Amino acid sequence: MEWEFETLVVPRDLSRNVVTRMLIDRAEHGGWELDRLRIGSDGIRRVVLRRKIIRQRLTLFAQG
């Protein structure tokens, strides 16, 4: 299985509710899920999101 990753840096002045809403929106509308969340000593949140890469296969139908 292959994954696509996206890293977000969230400033410390955003409230927990705002960050939660932002991550929920990305999950619902973009298919992202939380992979990792780090809160630095400076209060900056570093968020890593991931989602599956879905490869489409070519299907050929026999004509007869």
Side-chain angles (χ1 to χ4, degrees):
M1 183 175 308
E2 293 184 61
W3 296 94
E4 174 183 5
F5 292 91
E6 181 178 6
T7 302
L8 304 173
V9 178
V10 182
R12 62 183 289 179
D13 59 339
L14 291 180
S15 72
R16 175 182 260 174
N17 289 336
V18 171
V19 175
T20 301
R21 184 76 246 166
M22 179 183 68
L23 295 176
I24 288 172
D25 287 342
R26 286 191 170 263
E28 289 179 351
H29 301 293
W32 294 99
E33 61 185 49
L34 184 64
D35 183 58
R36 187 174 305 135
L37 171 65
R38 291 185 182 182
I39 302 175
S41 59
D42 55 358
I44 294 177
R45 299 173 187 102
R46 287 170 180 80
V47 181
V48 178
L49 303 173
R50 70 179 185 180
R51 67 179 169 186
K52 294 178 188 174
I53 297 175
I54 300 172
R55 305 250 187 240
Q56 293 182 350
R57 293 184 179 171
L58 179 63
T59 1
L60 301 175
F61 293 99
Q63 296 180 8

